[in-house]
Amino acid sequence: MKLSELKVGESAIIKEVGGKGALRQHFLDMGLVQGVEVMLLKLAPLGDPMELLVRGYTLSLRLEDASKILIVPKNSYCREETAGIETDFGYNLSLHEHNSHPGLGEAGKYHDPDHESPFPKDTLLTFALVGQQNSGKTTLFNKLTGANQHVGNFPGITVERKDGEIKGYANTLITDLPGIYSLSPYTNEEIVSRRFIIEEKPKCIINIVDVTNLERNLYLTLQLMELETPMVLALNMMDELTGNGGSIRVNEMERILGIPVVPISAIKGEGIRELVEHAIHVAEYQELPARKDCCTKATHGAAVHRSIHSIMHLIEDHAERAGIPLRFAASKLVEGDCKIMEELEFTQNEKETIERIIVQMEEESGMDRSAAIADMRFSFIECLSAQTLIKPQKNREYIRSKKIDRILTGRWTAIPIFLTVMCLVIWLSIDVLGTPLQEWLDSVIQSLAGLSVAGLERVDVSPAIVSLVKDGIFGGVGRVLSFVPIIIILFFFLSLIEDSGYMARIAFVTDKLLRKFGLSGRSIVPLLIGFGCSVPAIMATRTLPSARDRKLTILLTPFMSCSAKIPIYGFLTSTFFPGHGGIILVALYLLSIIVGIIVAFATKLFSRNYVAAPFVMELPNYRMPGLRNVSHLLWDKTKDFVQRAFTVIFVATIVIWLLQTFDFRFNMVENGEGSMMAWVAGVFAPLFRPLGLGDWRIVTSFISGFLAKESVVATMELLGVTESLTKVTAVPMLLFSLLYTPCVAAIGSIRRELGGRWAVYVVIFQCVVAWTVSWIGYLIAQALL
Amino acid sequence: MNTSTIIAIAVIALLVAAALFAIFKRCRKGKSCSGCALRGYCGKE
């Protein structure tokens, strides 16, 4: 029976994990291994994906992906019992009582003063902060460094590397790495994180784990311990675990794992000092994990254990030459890691020997290589959990989340609530709060412009410079800055959605629909924000894990008609179609969505070897958004936007003002006629003739819209564009304005996210699409009007 | 061209230079060269 055939509320045991490559490895890394119990909690309102309960956490999975996993009824599966864990590490822990504190990573206990050799005091101690997604890394990073990095309740928030000094400890540098589920070479983040640890050689790894989801989190811990780097384990969210009546035998866990284990609550700042002291100690004294092995001899007749250790002997010299930790290299070879195989530079004979050992292991264990390694790690973790974790009787956060989810992801309620929430966000951000504030800020900026112009005129500054300040700087930068309130309000709501955990549910609910267009459920949020402003929408695509989905979402976002285009529609409809403004506006919005869908479809059809990115996503528990975190995010976004307004947009406005104000002999021109811009517009004008828009003044309006869409109407008024338009030509004018290239701020964002080449591509692509649709619209208008 | 105009041009030129410098600095830091989701890791830093 396939996992996709499981009924809601039913449980089963995984018999076999099928599939191949990245998806299969991801299944295994997420804890979906042979013998594990899974329960189907619910299906998304559209019937796909499914929400599963695995190892105490909820995971969403597409039915197509789930069909690759075979299951059996609970009562028909008999799992091989694993033996206990050996704890002989070569140092005498048996002297201590069963529950006494082993004291790893602390001064005095295991140091022989004659032989210890700590780093000199002025050595820079480097730390790598590593953990699974949504385990609280960035919260801990902020606590450790005093930084204000944004934290979210959505897997995969950290997409940039961040460095900082630990507060109160000079000569320390901690790096917050992106959240990873394992050290498998299947995602960029995983490759980069392991390369960072192996190549940059941090003096210590601080591994943060979410204790409310201990089993899956420890999977990464075991792999990190193989890297032969000093390490400290931070048990985060201990307050939540103990609050629910659970606990962890920390001393026992420290004894078994052979690394310092420190319970903390990153959000409350509890245990942070102790964690830092342990981390600095193990870094300074280079205390390596006492345990590297997690392959128990009793599992599968020790098949995995024997294969790993025999390969370790075989590859010792290669691993040393390549600078790759031996145990890590061996287990990755058994797992089938091609990158490690390449780096170790084996001869054909050695490759064949290794392959034979692995095949032997597969035969003996009855599992393939990847599954056998994952099973070995999870078997160890299960034993460790049984000995050290006192599970809470009830998980209040989980129960609360399930209650909320009954409504927010309910079969009949999910879509209406989602649509209501998104409409409310856009309506409140744009109409109710954003626009009045934007108009107020605009009036303040215009008053400042008036004062500056008056001042300049009083001191008899040249009219050209006055025009530059008035029309160029205040008209361009000022107008863009006036959009800061809309950006702040949009991001405020976005932050609430993200921090509460609702963002993951939106992706869950809309995934099936978006997949038909070649997108992932996670793309919905940026696309909706695009109706407000393309700039934050493009920035919001950072949460998309697949590079392809990210690029496609960025490509589609500018098709969603932004609020800055509303004045253009208003101006043209009131002039040429009075009394029909509302219906034309609705039709334009619908058209923008339809064009976006067609583009997505076309991209899906023409993409060579298109494979939908797997949608294997953890659904985090709902949490109350933190005021501090939300305000940090707003501050960051505002700072970023203002910085860009005063750099890229400032330079661009001056260039466009120069082109609009002067002719080629640098004489000032009246109303743009004869200006360099008019000449440029004249060059492009023939392209617009088939659309009935060949007048240079119309083209100039479009060009000025490249700077900011708001300036289209201003230019049209200034140059008297309406004189050269008719009811028929107003149609292609509306359509071209709806679909043509986004403004310079949005282009800047695209450049920032995807690079210059993509920014140019988006500009050209959108212009081509806009031209085609406008031409069709012109032909229809000619026939009908 | 009077002194006020020269001063105004100088101020604007300084602002443009500062903006260009800031853009250049951001590019050099690798903040605007992405392509992958992991800015700063691409080796362009």
Side-chain angles (χ1 to χ4, degrees):
Chain A
M1 185 181 170
K2 293 169 182 172
L3 179 58
S4 54
E5 292 162 6
L6 195 65
K7 299 274 180 295
V8 175
E10 283 182 3
S11 299
I13 304 288
I14 293 178
K15 186 186 162 201
E16 194 185 323
V17 181
K20 55 182 178 179
L23 177 62
R24 182 166 192 272
Q25 190 60 47
H26 200 49
F27 283 156
L28 298 170
D29 294 342
M30 297 293 278
L32 293 165
V33 296
Q34 200 181 58
V36 164
E37 185 181 338
V38 283
M39 184 183 173
L40 178 58
L41 295 174
K42 66 160 64 173
L43 292 168
L46 299 173
D48 192 16
M50 65 199 324
E51 187 184 344
L52 296 165
L53 182 67
V54 192
R55 295 183 183 276
Y57 76 97
T58 50
L59 180 75
S60 62
L61 205 65
R62 284 190 188 131
L63 291 180
E64 191 191 328
D65 299 333
S67 67
K68 290 164 187 152
I69 298 172
L70 298 180
I71 50 169
V72 288
K74 270 168 80 174
N75 51 13
S76 67
Y77 186 86
C78 181
R79 197 178 180 199
E80 186 185 338
E81 287 298 318
T82 48
I85 304 165
E86 298 146 44
T87 53
D88 178 14
F89 309 123
Y91 54 81
N92 195 359
L93 284 174
S94 59
L95 288 174
H96 301 274
E97 290 293 320
H98 182 69
N99 262 332
S100 67
H101 182 49
L104 295 173
E106 290 171 18
K109 285 201 175 179
Y110 303 106
H111 293 278
D112 172 3
D114 297 331
H115 296 98
E116 67 181 24
S117 55
F119 282 121
K121 283 287 170 207
D122 55 349
T123 306
L124 177 69
L125 296 177
T126 50
F127 299 87
L129 184 56
V130 190
Q132 293 198 345
Q133 293 184 358
N134 222 25
S135 61
K137 283 183 310 305
T138 308
T139 309
L140 178 60
F141 180 79
N142 288 345
K143 286 279 177 210
L144 290 172
T145 60
N148 296 323
Q149 297 295 344
H150 174 57
V151 184
N153 188 17
F154 186 78
I157 286 296
T158 304
V159 289
E160 295 177 49
R161 163 185 168 172
K162 291 161 201 138
D163 297 316
E165 188 182 272
I166 298 175
K167 264 191 301 186
Y169 294 87
N171 283 331
T172 56
L173 184 77
I174 183 160
T175 302
D176 181 15
L177 291 167
I180 51 173
Y181 287 106
S182 79
L183 292 176
S184 310
Y186 295 106
T187 66
N188 262 345
E189 289 92 335
E190 286 167 350
I191 295 169
V192 159
S193 293
R194 89 176 190 190
R195 198 179 290 158
F196 178 85
I197 297 164
I198 293 172
E199 289 175 10
E200 307 244 342
K201 298 193 192 311
K203 302 280 189 297
C204 171
I205 295 169
I206 298 176
N207 174 214
I208 179 167
V209 297
D210 170 5
V211 284
T212 63
N213 190 355
L214 192 65
E215 286 190 8
R216 202 200 62 207
N217 275 256
L218 284 174
Y219 185 77
L220 177 66
T221 307
L222 295 187
Q223 295 184 56
L224 293 171
M225 281 161 56
E226 292 177 347
L227 290 171
E228 291 175 20
T229 304
M231 187 173 155
V232 177
L233 184 67
L235 301 174
N236 193 23
M237 304 188 201
M238 273 302 282
D239 53 331
E240 215 170 276
L241 183 75
T242 50
N244 287 322
S247 187
I248 284 182
R249 294 191 187 103
V250 175
N251 296 333
E252 186 76 359
M253 186 179 273
E254 183 167 312
R255 204 162 61 84
I256 293 172
L257 289 174
I259 51 173
V261 177
V262 184
I264 65 162
S265 166
I267 205 155
K268 290 183 181 169
E270 291 167 4
I272 305 294
R273 200 175 141 195
E274 203 184 348
L275 174 71
V276 172
E277 282 169 0
H278 280 79
I280 289 192
H281 183 91
V282 295
E284 208 174 332
Y285 287 88
Q286 285 297 286
E287 290 178 2
L288 297 175
R291 172 188 283 277
K292 274 181 275 179
D293 271 3
C294 61
C295 44
T296 52
K297 287 176 191 165
T299 316
H300 305 300
V304 184
H305 167 80
R306 281 183 283 113
S307 70
I308 291 177
H309 285 269
S310 49
I311 289 175
M312 277 170 75
H313 289 300
L314 193 70
I315 65 165
E316 208 169 342
D317 52 337
H318 291 268
E320 204 177 317
R321 270 201 301 274
I324 300 172
L326 180 59
R327 163 78 196 196
F328 174 75
S331 59
K332 284 288 152 196
L333 283 176
V334 176
E335 204 176 59
D337 189 324
C338 303
K339 282 188 187 295
I340 293 286
M341 181 70 94
E342 279 168 27
E343 284 176 45
L344 291 172
E345 295 174 346
F346 293 120
T347 61
Q348 190 55 33
N349 191 33
E350 285 169 320
K351 279 182 190 170
E352 283 168 13
T353 312
I354 291 167
E355 183 60 23
R356 273 192 211 106
I357 294 171
I358 297 170
V359 170
Q360 183 63 29
M361 180 275 292
E362 286 179 324
E363 272 176 25
E364 286 182 31
S365 67
M367 280 187 268
D368 69 279
R369 53 200 73 190
S370 309
I373 291 287
D375 182 74
M376 170 196 81
R377 291 193 183 117
F378 277 114
S379 298
F380 180 89
I381 290 167
E382 281 165 23
C383 286
L384 178 68
S385 294
Q387 290 182 46
T388 60
L389 174 66
I390 300 157
K391 287 190 178 170
Q393 288 173 341
K394 58 174 184 177
N395 186 336
R396 273 181 299 183
E397 289 75 19
Y398 176 76
I399 294 166
R400 189 177 59 201
S401 292
K402 288 305 111 196
K403 278 183 186 164
I404 298 171
D405 266 344
R406 260 181 233 153
I407 300 165
L408 295 188
T409 62
R411 193 169 177 190
W412 304 110
T413 49
I415 303 276
I417 287 177
F418 159 65
L419 290 174
T420 311
V421 167
M422 290 327 291
C423 289
L424 262 175
V425 166
I426 293 172
W427 179 61
L428 287 173
S429 310
I430 309 291
D431 253 22
V432 179
L433 300 167
T435 306
L437 283 170
Q438 188 251 329
E439 283 168 358
W440 172 79
L441 190 60
D442 194 37
S443 69
V444 171
I445 291 167
Q446 293 315 315
S447 316
L448 273 175
L451 284 173
S452 309
V453 168
L456 290 171
E457 282 172 347
R458 200 172 303 139
V459 291
D460 202 22
V461 170
S462 153
I465 301 301
V466 175
S467 163
L468 170 63
V469 172
K470 189 182 159 202
D471 304 324
I473 299 171
F474 280 99
V477 177
R479 183 54 59 88
V480 172
L481 274 180
S482 72
F483 278 86
V484 165
I486 293 182
I487 306 276
I488 292 176
I489 294 163
L490 260 172
F491 266 102
F492 171 72
F493 287 117
L494 184 67
S495 175
L496 291 187
I497 289 174
E498 190 183 291
D499 287 10
S500 63
Y502 186 52
M503 178 98 81
R505 269 76 182 181
I506 293 180
F508 174 70
V509 167
T510 58
D511 180 68
K512 189 179 179 184
L513 186 70
L514 289 176
R515 206 182 160 195
K516 289 190 195 311
F517 313 133
L519 287 167
S520 154
R522 294 182 181 215
S523 305
I524 190 75
V525 178
L527 291 176
L528 287 168
I529 297 169
F531 284 113
C533 178
S534 298
V535 175
I538 291 161
M539 282 148 80
T541 58
R542 284 182 197 177
T543 53
L544 303 179
S546 149
R548 184 202 167 274
D549 286 356
R550 205 160 153 254
K551 278 178 187 162
L552 185 56
T553 310
I554 289 177
L555 182 71
L556 296 184
T557 302
F559 282 116
M560 306 298 119
S561 177
C562 75
S563 62
K565 290 177 186 170
I566 294 171
I568 310 175
Y569 311 145
F571 180 76
L572 289 169
T573 49
S574 62
T575 312
F576 296 101
F577 308 99
H580 299 93
I583 194 155
I584 290 173
L585 205 67
V586 171
L588 286 171
Y589 271 82
L590 279 175
L591 183 71
S592 70
I593 295 169
I594 291 166
V595 172
I597 289 171
I598 293 170
V599 170
F601 255 131
T603 315
K604 188 183 167 186
L605 281 177
F606 292 112
S607 295
R608 267 181 239 160
N609 308 323
Y610 165 71
V611 182
F615 185 78
V616 186
M617 196 176 76
E618 184 189 347
L619 292 178
N621 286 338
Y622 287 102
R623 287 179 211 278
M624 189 60 85
L627 183 70
R628 202 178 139 91
N629 188 34
V630 172
S631 50
H632 282 158
L633 174 80
L634 298 185
W635 167 242
D636 276 353
K637 298 296 168 202
T638 312
K639 199 173 74 177
D640 196 55
F641 191 78
V642 172
Q643 266 177 358
R644 270 187 306 109
F646 281 106
T647 52
V648 180
I649 297 170
F650 177 69
V651 173
T653 50
I654 287 178
V655 170
I656 287 185
W657 173 85
L658 281 169
L659 295 172
Q660 245 175 351
T661 315
F662 292 96
D663 62 15
F664 283 102
R665 292 182 174 179
F666 276 93
N667 297 314
M668 254 184 109
V669 293
E670 281 291 314
N671 290 342
E673 198 138 11
S675 65
M676 288 183 266
M677 180 68 94
W679 183 85
V680 175
V683 170
F684 287 108
L687 289 172
F688 289 87
R689 248 168 238 146
L691 311 178
L693 306 171
D695 193 306
W696 74 269
R697 289 172 294 183
I698 296 174
V699 181
T700 306
S701 307
F702 287 142
I703 294 174
S704 68
F706 181 70
L707 187 66
K709 295 292 168 202
E710 300 83 356
S711 59
V712 173
V713 171
T715 315
M716 283 200 288
E717 274 180 338
L718 189 74
L719 302 177
V721 167
T722 45
E723 290 166 20
S724 62
L725 281 173
T726 62
K727 226 175 187 181
V728 173
T729 52
V731 173
M733 179 88 190
L734 273 168
L735 294 176
F736 197 80
S737 304
L738 173 75
L739 299 170
Y740 88 115
T741 174
C743 67
V744 71
I747 296 291
S749 296
I750 296 170
R751 183 179 160 272
R752 196 167 166 222
E753 297 301 321
L754 296 178
R757 212 161 18 158
W758 267 89
V760 174
Y761 171 69
V762 168
V763 171
I764 295 169
F765 177 71
Q766 288 220 219
C767 286
V768 170
V769 172
W771 192 95
T772 312
V773 174
S774 307
W775 180 66
I776 296 166
Y778 181 50
L779 294 180
I780 295 169
Q782 273 181 320
L784 297 178
L785 299 172
Chain B
M1 205 182 279
N2 58 27
T3 319
S4 311
T5 304
I6 293 168
I7 292 169
I9 290 172
V11 170
I12 292 167
L14 268 175
L15 287 172
V16 171
L20 287 172
F21 178 70
I23 295 167
F24 173 72
K25 211 170 121 191
R26 280 168 80 93
C27 288
R28 212 177 49 167
K29 267 188 178 177
K31 282 188 175 173
S32 58
C33 58
S34 50
C36 58
L38 297 147
R39 247 152 278 106
Y41 283 106
C42 58
K44 287 184 187 170
E45 239 181 325

